[in-house]
C-alpha cells in the first residue's frame, strides 16, 4: 500500500458520482461577468435587484470598471494625445479598453437572456438593458475617444473593388458526381 494514496481516497478527482459538465471558456467567463455585475448591483445605494435594474445601471457599471483598466487613454490636454507610442510616461488615466467592454457587453447580453427566462432566441435589444441604444452609443464614444487619444483611426473598412488581376478560386463539388 502506498502512503500517498490512502485507501479511502481514490486517486482520481471524481466527486463520487457528482460530475458537473466542464464549462467552455466563454461560458465560464459569461457566468463570472454576470456574477460580477450582480455583485455591483448589491453595492449600489440603495441596492438594486436584477428585476429592477436598467441601462443606467449598466452605464454606471461600465464607468465603475474603468478604475480596473489597463489601457492608457490620454486626455486632450496631454502632450502625448494622438500619439500611438508616447516616448515617456504621463499621468493620464488607465481605463478599460473598448474591445474588452464590447466583449463584456456581449457576454452580459447573453447572460441576461439566459437568466431572465428568454428562450425564444430572438433579438433581445427591446427588453435587454445591455442591448439598449444608449449602451451602443456609449461604446461607440469610448471607441472613438480611445482611437483619437492614441492617434489611431477606427473607420469601417470599405469593401475593396475587384481588380482585373485578382485571382478567383472556384471550388467544384465532386461529391454528387456519378463516377464517370
Amino acid at each position: 500500500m502506498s502512503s500517498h494514496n490512502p485507501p479511502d481516497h481514490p486517486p482520481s478527482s471524481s466527486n463520487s458520482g457528482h460530475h458537473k459538465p466542464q464549462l467552455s471558456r466563454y461560458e465560464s467567463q459569461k457566468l463570472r461577468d454576470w456574477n460580477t455585475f450582480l455583485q455591483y448591483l448589491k453595492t449600489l445605494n440603495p441596492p438594486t435587484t436584477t428585476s429592477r435594474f436598467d441601462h443606467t445601471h449598466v452605464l454606471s457599471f461600465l464607468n465603475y470598471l474603468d478604475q480596473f483598466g489597463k489601457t492608457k487613454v490620454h486626455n486632450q490636454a496631454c502632450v502625448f494625445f494622438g500619439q500611438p507610442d508616447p516616448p515617456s510616461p504621463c499621468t493620464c488615466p488607465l481605463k478599460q479598453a473598448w474591445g474588452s467592454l464590447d466583449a463584456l457587453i456581449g457576454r452580459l447580453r447573453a447572460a441576461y437572456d439566459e437568466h431572465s427566462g428568454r428562450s425564444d432566441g430572438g433579438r433581445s435589444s427591446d427588453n435587454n438593458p445591455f442591448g439598449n441604444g444608449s449602451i451602443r452609443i456609449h461604446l461607440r464614444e469610448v471607441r472613438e475617444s480611445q482611437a483619437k487619444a492614441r492617434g489611431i483611426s477606427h473607420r469601417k473598412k470599405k469593401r475593396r473593388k475587384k481588380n482585373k488581376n485578382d485571382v478567383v478560386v472556384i471550388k467544384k463539388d465532386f461529391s454528387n458526381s456519378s463516377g464517370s
Side-chain angles (χ1 to χ4, degrees):
M1 208 185 252
S2 166
S3 63
H4 62 274
N5 277 338
D8 54 331
H9 295 300
S12 71
S13 61
S14 69
N15 285 339
S16 61
H18 299 291
H19 180 69
K20 287 186 177 180
Q22 186 71 24
L23 293 176
S24 69
R25 182 176 178 217
Y26 170 79
E27 290 295 328
S28 60
Q29 198 167 14
K30 182 173 61 172
L31 182 60
R32 190 170 45 246
D33 292 339
W34 180 248
N35 289 331
T36 301
F37 180 71
L38 296 181
Q39 279 301 123
Y40 171 76
L41 291 177
K42 290 177 184 176
T43 66
L44 298 177
N45 192 8
T48 305
T49 62
T50 53
S51 61
R52 300 183 79 56
F53 82 91
D54 62 18
H55 69 278
T56 60
H57 296 100
V58 176
L59 288 171
S60 68
F61 178 65
L62 294 178
N63 290 325
Y64 160 78
L65 289 177
D66 272 340
Q67 67 182 310
F68 307 109
K70 296 176 182 155
T71 300
K72 177 72 75 169
V73 180
H74 299 288
N75 296 317
Q76 284 187 324
C78 180
V79 295
F80 302 131
F81 181 81
Q83 292 186 25
D85 297 312
S88 62
C90 66
T91 60
C92 291
L94 293 173
K95 295 189 174 192
Q96 289 289 336
W98 166 78
S100 299
L101 293 177
D102 189 50
L104 170 70
I105 289 298
R107 290 188 301 271
L108 287 173
R109 282 181 74 173
Y112 178 85
D113 287 345
E114 289 174 12
H115 292 91
S116 69
R118 282 184 60 92
S119 60
D120 60 3
R123 291 190 56 88
S124 59
S125 58
D126 294 339
N127 303 338
N128 190 327
F130 298 100
N132 185 281
S134 62
I135 306 299
R136 289 191 297 273
I137 290 169
H138 176 77
L139 290 174
R140 185 181 331 126
E141 289 171 353
V142 168
R143 182 187 67 207
E144 290 171 359
S145 69
Q146 290 185 4
K148 285 179 189 173
R150 286 182 270 148
I152 303 168
S153 66
H154 279 282
R155 296 189 185 134
K156 283 189 176 179
K157 293 181 180 178
K158 294 181 181 176
R159 291 187 70 150
R160 197 173 70 110
K161 292 181 181 177
K162 286 188 179 178
N163 195 343
K164 66 178 181 178
N165 296 332
D166 286 349
V167 176
V168 177
V169 177
I170 300 173
K171 289 185 177 181
K172 187 168 182 179
D173 184 12
F174 291 103
S175 61
N176 287 337
S177 299
S178 59
S180 51

